Amino acid sequence: MKKFELTAESKINWFGRTLYRIKACIDFTTISGDEVKAGDLGGFVEKESNLSHNGKAWVYGDAKVWGNAEVWGDAKVWGNAEVWGDAEVWGDAKVYGDAKVWGNAEVWGDAEVYGDAKVWGNAEVWGDAK
């Protein structure tokens, strides 16, 4: 069963890509204890492959994920955060605030990227890093 679906609500980002708001199809609890109920709206993705249907990963609020970027495992992306390119956010990682992750960058483990932080290129943020 799918964890989420794309809604008709969309916006065009600054790259000219159309991003669609997601809506939860099932109830689940994120690794940090947030309850996501079927019907809850999430953030924006360009395509279903940007957010895994497996695990407890979720994109919230006005956060945006596009390109070949992937959010999976139990990761969370929220606020005005943006993840794009071939970037990956996974494990129990969190990207939030106005943070941006792009290129081939990876954020994983219990790492947190937040505020106005920018992670790009081949950078890796992992473990308990903040």
Side-chain angles (χ1 to χ4, degrees):
M1 175 181 265
K2 287 185 172 187
K3 179 168 63 179
F4 68 93
E5 64 186 9
L6 305 181
T7 68
E9 182 182 351
S10 66
K11 57 172 67 175
I12 309 245
N13 71 5
W14 49 275
F15 273 119
R17 303 265 184 119
T18 302
L19 308 181
Y20 301 91
R21 185 168 300 273
I22 58 173
K23 180 171 75 172
C25 296
I26 60 171
D27 295 348
F28 65 96
T29 302
T30 68
I31 199 73
S32 59
D34 297 331
E35 290 188 18
V36 177
K37 300 288 187 190
D40 284 356
L41 296 176
F44 292 86
V45 300
E46 182 178 18
K47 53 194 172 194
E48 282 196 23
S49 61
N50 294 135
L51 175 62
S52 176
H53 285 284
N54 299 317
K56 297 178 180 182
W58 193 242
V59 178
Y60 297 83
D62 288 323
K64 299 168 188 72
V65 182
W66 74 90
N68 293 320
E70 294 181 66
V71 177
W72 54 283
D74 295 327
K76 292 172 46 174
V77 179
W78 76 92
N80 292 311
E82 297 181 39
V83 180
W84 74 91
D86 292 313
E88 292 187 46
V89 179
W90 53 283
D92 295 335
K94 297 170 184 68
V95 177
Y96 57 97
D98 292 316
K100 307 213 179 334
V101 178
W102 74 93
N104 293 314
E106 292 186 44
V107 180
W108 82 88
D110 290 317
E112 295 184 28
V113 175
Y114 55 91
D116 292 320
K118 294 173 178 60
V119 179
W120 74 92
N122 293 315
E124 297 179 7
V125 179
W126 53 280
D128 293 321
K130 292 184 175 37

